[in-house]
Amino acid sequence: MPRHETFAEDITITPDPIRLGPDGATATVEAVVTGGDKPAGTLAAPGGSLTRLRFAPGSREGVWRATHQFGPHDRSGAWRATVETGRVFTELPFLVSGGAPLGEAYFSEFDVDPRHIAAGEIAVASGRLLIRDGSASLPYGGQLVSITFRAFDPGEGLETGETVTAVPIVWEEIGEAVTEWRSGLFSAEISPPTTGQVRAELIGGRDGETVVGQSVPFTVAAFSRPRIDADITSTSRSTAQVGGRNTACLLHTGTVHRSTGAKVGSGSVRIEYRKPSGHWTPAKGPGRAGRAVGVVSGGVFSVKSELRSRVSWRAEYT
């Protein structure tokens, strides 16, 4: 991206997640802009409706702030803030909770396909999120679902003399998805690190509740083969055409080589990210469309991905 081009380096939403009370909630959108021009922006609700953001100068140079008042009956789920600067669009998804329909939320039809993969391969976790209202079950759309993983063995204990200490049950996020508004369906690509269990979780539902689905077993087979390393040498700001408009993204470049040091001539890589204390998750492409994958040619690669802040990045040769 040219240095003189105006773009949003970062967007933050405060608070995050946003919890709706009897009077709704007030949120602040802050954008750090390079180039000096005043940004424009919108908030997109889970159903697709848009609300314009009006930015004003913030507390320091290059920072712009806008506020929005959510109503108590606004739709809960995954919203999206978009900031437009110099014809470049930068997007940030965020969660609004507290306005769920009456009834009990639950997961249905959850599964992982396939349930048996080789180390480094990708599977798809999918299911449906519903609201039980009396005898009826209604789709619960627009909700952010976390796909979590826990390694075996769930009931194992550690014996220390005559004392038995239970192994902590730690579920870590390995993927996320947003439920479709009309059906409640969701799916996410995952790559569990080892054999264990996978389940779906709804975090921040009505009144901040957490809804947990039934887990399914998952097997990762480790095969002996020469190690191939894909190293990201640089990650920089860039843009990509998504839906006919310039969308801000990240450009990852690097090299692929065998454990002996020899370069790999051809193949493909996928970009993954990891939140603090989380597992590696396959990244989406620019604008969260498709997967962040690219071709290896002459031992080098160049792949564009979605924007994410405060995460670690890596490339995996496939």
Side-chain angles (χ1 to χ4, degrees):
M1 175 180 294
R3 292 184 178 274
H4 64 271
E5 187 172 356
T6 300
F7 63 93
E9 289 185 356
D10 196 19
I11 307 173
T12 56
I13 308 288
T14 306
D16 185 15
I18 296 167
R19 304 197 183 279
L20 302 179
D23 299 322
T26 301
T28 301
V29 181
E30 187 172 85
V32 180
V33 176
T34 296
D37 293 344
K38 180 178 179 179
T42 58
L43 293 180
S49 61
L50 298 177
T51 302
R52 185 174 298 278
L53 291 172
R54 301 187 182 279
F55 284 97
S59 57
R60 63 185 187 278
E61 185 178 357
V63 175
W64 297 84
R65 303 183 70 187
T67 59
H68 176 73
Q69 179 64 40
F70 287 88
H73 303 296
D74 277 346
R75 285 181 169 178
S76 63
W79 287 59
R80 186 179 69 256
T82 299
V83 176
E84 180 185 0
T85 52
R87 297 187 300 279
V88 176
F89 294 81
T90 306
E91 299 178 339
L92 175 71
F94 63 97
L95 185 65
V96 175
S97 64
L102 295 176
E104 178 188 3
Y106 69 99
F107 287 101
S108 174
E109 307 167 29
F110 181 74
D111 202 357
V112 179
D113 184 34
R115 290 194 183 186
H116 188 115
I117 65 170
E121 292 182 347
I122 288 179
V124 176
S126 62
R128 188 188 302 266
L129 181 62
L130 301 170
I131 288 283
R132 184 181 289 112
D133 185 6
S135 60
S137 292
L138 305 174
Y140 194 2
Q143 304 307 301
L144 184 63
V145 172
S146 176
I147 310 299
T148 58
F149 166 83
R150 177 170 65 87
F152 281 136
D153 182 357
E156 192 175 56
L158 300 177
E159 295 187 8
T160 306
E162 297 181 354
T163 302
V164 176
T165 303
V167 174
I169 299 177
V170 179
W171 290 88
E172 297 180 283
E173 183 178 271
I174 57 172
E176 60 182 28
V178 177
T179 59
E180 295 180 2
W181 191 259
R182 295 182 182 276
S183 65
L185 291 170
F186 63 90
S187 66
E189 293 181 331
I190 60 172
S191 184
T194 186
T195 296
Q197 298 182 75
V198 177
R199 73 183 186 187
E201 300 181 15
L202 170 66
I203 301 176
R206 187 178 63 253
D207 300 325
E209 66 182 341
T210 297
V211 179
V212 176
Q214 184 174 359
S215 64
V216 299
F218 192 88
T219 303
V220 177
F223 297 103
S224 178
R225 58 184 180 182
R227 192 178 80 248
I228 297 179
D229 297 317
D231 300 321
I232 295 177
T233 56
S234 69
T235 295
S236 58
R237 193 76 177 211
S238 186
T239 60
Q241 281 285 318
V242 180
R245 66 183 189 181
N246 286 330
T247 301
C249 65
L250 293 177
L251 174 64
H252 309 273
T253 58
T255 61
V256 180
H257 55 86
R258 302 183 188 278
S259 56
T260 59
K263 282 190 175 182
V264 174
S266 61
S268 63
V269 295
R270 71 169 179 266
I271 302 300
E272 299 181 344
Y273 68 89
R274 183 175 65 185
K275 298 178 181 179
S277 73
H279 280 301
W280 292 103
T281 301
K284 298 288 188 180
R288 299 181 63 80
R291 290 165 50 189
V293 296
V295 174
V296 178
S297 178
V300 299
F301 63 87
S302 178
V303 184
K304 292 182 177 180
S305 79
E306 62 183 314
L307 281 176
R308 282 189 176 269
S309 59
R310 293 173 287 278
V311 300
S312 301
W313 296 97
R314 76 174 183 184
E316 282 289 294
Y317 180 79
T318 58

